[in-house]
């Protein structure tokens, strides 16, 4: 069974027990604020990171029972091309991104367009911990315990109009600190159909491993869409716009023959440079078969009934 729905698995069973208890013990005694701990994040003691813990958390209804990828690998092996194209570049360079103040504007075809500050967004709905598989189009994968709540909670708060069919997303862009090679036209953009965005698996995400997102993982908030290739899960979100027409997206615009708008994980449709039939789970030696919709077919296949998934890749 790829996804189970128990409601009683706490974070202590996700993080190795010794590490979890050490972090919680530090929290009880340190008395540091979240902001201070965030400033200490990079390169400092694990105990300093503990003060950036998110909570209270509830166990989310969707989770894989696969072993999570170690915290260090999740936070050190990243794609965030605005900060460099090597996997370790984002962890070295994204620390320069200022995370406060931070706002997200939600606009377009909605009854209640609003600009939210990050604190308001974190409190908009109960924070859940969900353990999702993450599959990159480059054929590597991870298992990550994310923290967030369904994106649907935010979208319903702004009341989409009946004419809204798509949701466009925009990443923060600061040319003063994001000086790496112009791989794409910045700012980075992504998009979903409205029914994909409203699907309960689509997560507005503020943390991982029970703690605030590190900058290289898309702080202070990102989207996670677990049945699509990782580049669809846009990082460091600053704008959401509901539209009637399919929005342009960064990779689809740059190389439409390689990156489709849907980008559903599909082992039967190869990328020109990477077969999608198998994947390398970070930390494992042997490759493993890739699952249709990254193993979430039971939950999302109905979204694409009647579509040719080789044409609409």
């Amino acid at each position: 069974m790829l996804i189970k729905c128990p409601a009683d698995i706490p974070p202590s069973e996700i993080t190795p027990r010794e590490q979890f208890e050490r972090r919680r013990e530090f929290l009880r005694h340190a008395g540091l604020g979240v902001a201070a701990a965030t400033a200490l994040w990079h390169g400092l003691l694990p105990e300093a990171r503990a003060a950036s813990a998110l909570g209270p958390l509830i166990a989310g209804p969707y989770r894989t029972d696969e072993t999570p990828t170690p915290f260090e690998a999740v936070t050190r092996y990243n794609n965030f091309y605005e900060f460099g194209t090597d996997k370790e570049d984002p962890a070295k360079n994204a620390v320069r991104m200022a995370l406060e103040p931070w706002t997200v504007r939600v606009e377009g075809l909605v009854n209640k367009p609003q600009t939210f500050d990050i604190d308001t967004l974190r409190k908009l709905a109960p924070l859940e911990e969900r353990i999702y598989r993450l599959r990159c189009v480059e054929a590597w994968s991870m298992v990550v315990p994310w923290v967030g709540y369904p994106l649907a909670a935010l979208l319903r708060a702004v009341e989409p109009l009946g004419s809204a069919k798509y949701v466009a997303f925009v990443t923060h862009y600061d040319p003063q600190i994001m000086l790496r090679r112009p791989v794409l036209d910045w700012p980075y953009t992504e998009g979903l159909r409205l029914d994909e965005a409203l699907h309960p698996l689509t997560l507005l995400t503020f943390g991982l491993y029970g703690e605030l997102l590190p900058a290289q993982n898309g702080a202070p908030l990102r989207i996670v869409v677990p049945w699509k290739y990782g580049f669809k899960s846009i990082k460091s979100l600053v704008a959401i716009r509901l539209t009637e027409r399919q929005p342009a997206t960064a990779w689809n615009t740059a190389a439409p023959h390689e990156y489709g708008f849907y980008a559903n994980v599909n082992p039967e449709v190869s990328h020109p440079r990477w077969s999608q039939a198998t994947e390398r789970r970070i930390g494992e030696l042997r490759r493993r078969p890739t699952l249709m919709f990254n193993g979430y077919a039971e939950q999302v296949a109905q979204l694409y009934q009647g579509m040719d998934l080789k044409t609409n890749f």
Side-chain angles (χ1 to χ4, degrees):
M1 185 174 184
L2 297 172
I3 296 180
K4 57 183 182 180
C5 304
D8 58 352
I9 300 179
S12 57
E13 294 184 19
I14 300 169
T15 305
R17 184 180 181 83
E18 181 181 355
Q19 184 180 5
F20 174 83
E21 292 184 343
R22 190 165 63 245
R23 291 176 180 180
R24 290 298 181 265
E25 182 67 18
F26 175 79
L27 277 176
R28 281 194 290 273
H29 296 291
L32 293 177
V34 167
T38 302
L40 291 169
W41 181 275
H42 292 278
L44 298 186
L45 297 174
E47 287 76 6
R49 297 203 311 263
S52 66
L54 287 165
L57 305 180
I58 60 175
Y62 298 103
R63 63 192 58 206
T64 173
D65 54 8
E66 296 175 62
T67 301
T69 302
F71 175 88
E72 288 73 16
V74 172
T75 56
R76 294 289 175 180
Y77 193 88
N78 307 106
N79 282 330
F80 199 152
Y81 283 173
E82 292 91 324
F83 294 107
T85 52
D86 290 340
K87 292 294 184 289
E88 296 184 354
D89 284 344
K92 292 185 292 187
N93 300 322
V95 66
R96 292 177 294 172
M97 181 167 56
L99 303 180
E100 291 185 354
W102 194 281
T103 61
V104 179
R105 65 180 187 276
V106 187
E107 59 191 15
L109 299 176
V110 298
N111 271 324
K112 297 180 177 178
Q114 295 182 56
T115 297
F116 297 86
D117 64 64
I118 187 64
D119 290 334
T120 300
L121 277 177
R122 285 199 194 101
K123 298 173 183 175
L124 189 68
L127 292 176
E128 303 176 11
E129 186 169 70
R130 297 185 176 192
I131 309 172
Y132 284 165
R133 286 177 291 275
L134 173 68
R135 171 60 157 84
C136 180
V137 71
E138 298 168 348
W140 54 266
S141 64
M142 295 180 175
V143 176
V144 184
W146 302 107
V147 175
Y149 55 74
L151 175 62
L154 171 59
L155 295 178
R156 286 173 178 142
V158 297
E159 300 181 0
L161 299 177
S163 54
K165 295 182 174 61
Y166 294 90
V167 185
F169 305 95
V170 182
T171 287
H172 171 69
Y173 180 60
D174 181 351
Q176 298 301 313
I177 61 170
M178 296 171 166
L179 301 174
R180 303 296 154 173
R181 289 187 295 170
V183 181
L184 298 167
D185 289 333
W186 313 122
Y188 190 87
T189 55
E190 258 305 336
L192 296 170
R193 269 188 352 213
L194 181 58
D195 59 345
E196 295 175 322
L198 291 173
H199 192 281
L201 279 174
T202 304
L203 200 67
L204 187 62
T205 305
F206 301 91
L208 55 78
Y209 263 103
E211 301 173 2
L212 291 169
L213 281 173
Q216 65 269 28
N217 292 92
L221 78 167
R222 61 179 292 171
I223 304 297
V224 175
V225 192
W227 71 92
K228 294 179 179 288
Y229 293 118
F231 67 86
K232 295 293 288 187
S233 294
I234 189 168
K235 299 180 176 76
S236 301
L237 189 63
V238 295
I240 299 173
R241 184 175 181 82
L242 280 76
T243 67
E244 187 170 6
R245 294 185 176 180
Q246 180 176 302
T249 62
W251 282 110
N252 183 229
T253 299
H257 61 294
E258 295 189 12
Y259 302 95
F261 174 80
Y262 285 94
N264 293 318
V265 174
N266 188 341
E268 298 177 0
V269 178
S270 291
H271 184 278
R273 278 168 282 152
W274 305 286
S275 166
Q276 302 301 344
T278 63
E279 64 196 66
R280 178 176 60 88
R281 177 67 52 81
I282 299 300
E284 296 181 351
L285 295 178
R286 294 185 177 180
R287 300 181 71 86
R288 60 170 63 202
T290 286
L291 302 173
M292 188 66 196
F293 295 115
N294 204 20
Y296 299 94
E298 182 179 350
Q299 288 72 35
V300 303
Q302 75 280 0
L303 296 175
Y304 311 103
Q305 283 185 344
M307 291 179 62
D308 182 343
L309 298 183
K310 293 186 178 179
T311 301
N312 298 286
F313 63 95

